[in-house]
Amino acid sequence: MTTDEANRGLGRGELALLAHEVRGALTVIVGMSELLRSDLAPAERLRALDGISRAVDRIDRLVDEAVAGEVAAGHASGLVDLAELAEQVAAEQEAVTGRRVEVTVAERPQVVGSREALERALTNLIDNGLKYSLASAPVEVNISRQGARAVVQIADHGPGISPEDRERIFEPFERAGGGDAPGTGLGLTVVRSVVDAHHGRVGVDERIGGGSVFWIEIPVSRA
Ligand code: ADP
């Protein structure tokens, strides 16, 4: 991986979209604040305050997600044991959410890359698996090797993703179902940019029995 690739965070187009989204939320805040200056019924006043609070929340998430992507993209490259990393991220997510994240390790492939960036990618995928499924359902993570490629699969028991949405959701700010769940539509964009920087591929399939299986494939280290 070259330094340029290792440093790849959100691209210029994505930053422009991010700015657009933040401005949109700021416009809501300005509009609602103006409204609050006028003589409003108590219920309308509450609605305006709710609108402001949702817009602030959205800006907070957008900035968080973008900064996390940038920080992950700026780290140095080395040998990373993907199974060990997945076990670490799963344990952290279990501790934070109180949910089950089950890891099975078929092989322990090593890849060359940024541990922090890969950690961010795995965190986003596991986090989504938990977010879009019922609290009682586990997320299952499997690490294996297929020929020269390390493969990490993250399976959930959620609603799955319809075939026509499976490409689109990796684009910035694109969201599919589960619209009530908090989010920015940036998580999978960060995942794709990390995987691209590692010369890998990412995708999603249907899980047999319901839910989705996100997968990433990264060339194993030849060292
Ligand atoms: P966010 O979760 O912040 O909306 P992402 O980029 O992580 O943004 O995901 C984009 C969209 O893809 C989500 O809004 C959701 O519609 C869909 N999605 C992602 N992961 C899952 C999943 N595990 N199950 C169902 N839908 C998902």
Side-chain angles (χ1 to χ4, degrees):
M1 163 156 67
T2 67
T3 311
D4 269 2
E5 282 166 333
N7 283 330
R8 199 176 140 182
L10 290 179
R12 208 177 285 169
E14 288 152 3
L15 279 178
L17 279 168
L18 177 73
H20 175 80
E21 294 286 317
V22 171
R23 277 203 201 98
L26 286 171
T27 307
V28 171
I29 294 172
V30 171
M32 296 290 178
S33 310
E34 282 302 317
L35 203 63
L36 282 169
R37 288 178 195 279
S38 59
D39 200 12
L40 289 183
E44 287 171 338
R45 182 167 291 276
L46 271 185
R47 251 201 305 279
L49 286 169
D50 270 358
I52 291 178
S53 152
R54 270 198 306 276
V56 168
D57 215 39
R58 176 153 180 76
I59 293 173
D60 192 40
R61 277 179 212 290
L62 285 165
V63 172
D64 254 17
E65 196 91 65
V67 170
E70 291 300 310
V71 168
H75 277 82
S77 166
L79 263 190
V80 183
D81 176 335
L82 276 184
E84 190 256 322
L85 184 62
E87 282 163 344
Q88 176 207 308
V89 173
E92 281 164 7
Q93 292 283 303
E94 283 195 329
V96 170
T97 62
R99 304 266 306 268
R100 267 183 308 142
V101 182
E102 294 162 2
V103 182
T104 51
V105 177
E107 288 205 45
R108 296 194 161 266
Q110 306 237 18
V111 300
V112 178
S114 153
R115 187 182 170 90
E116 285 78 6
L118 292 165
E119 181 177 342
R120 168 53 47 186
L122 293 184
T123 302
N124 285 5
L125 291 173
I126 293 173
D127 186 47
N128 276 352
L130 293 169
K131 183 164 75 171
Y132 293 106
S133 58
L134 291 177
S136 56
V139 164
E140 291 135 13
V141 183
N142 179 263
I143 298 93
S144 60
R145 178 178 170 153
Q146 283 173 15
R149 304 200 143 234
V151 181
V152 183
Q153 292 173 309
I154 295 99
D156 65 56
H157 299 243
I161 294 166
S162 59
E164 61 272 20
D165 287 334
R166 287 183 196 159
E167 282 290 325
R168 176 174 80 78
I169 51 173
F170 290 94
E171 298 297 324
F173 306 110
E174 291 286 344
R175 306 195 72 198
D180 284 347
T184 57
L186 271 183
L188 290 177
T189 307
V190 169
V191 172
R192 193 181 57 185
S193 121
V194 168
V195 171
D196 282 353
H198 289 78
H199 309 289
R201 298 195 310 138
V202 57
V204 59
D205 296 319
E206 195 175 333
R207 179 181 167 277
I208 296 165
S212 18
V213 184
F214 280 83
W215 51 265
I216 63 181
E217 283 182 7
I218 294 177
V220 290
S221 156
R222 276 182 248 131

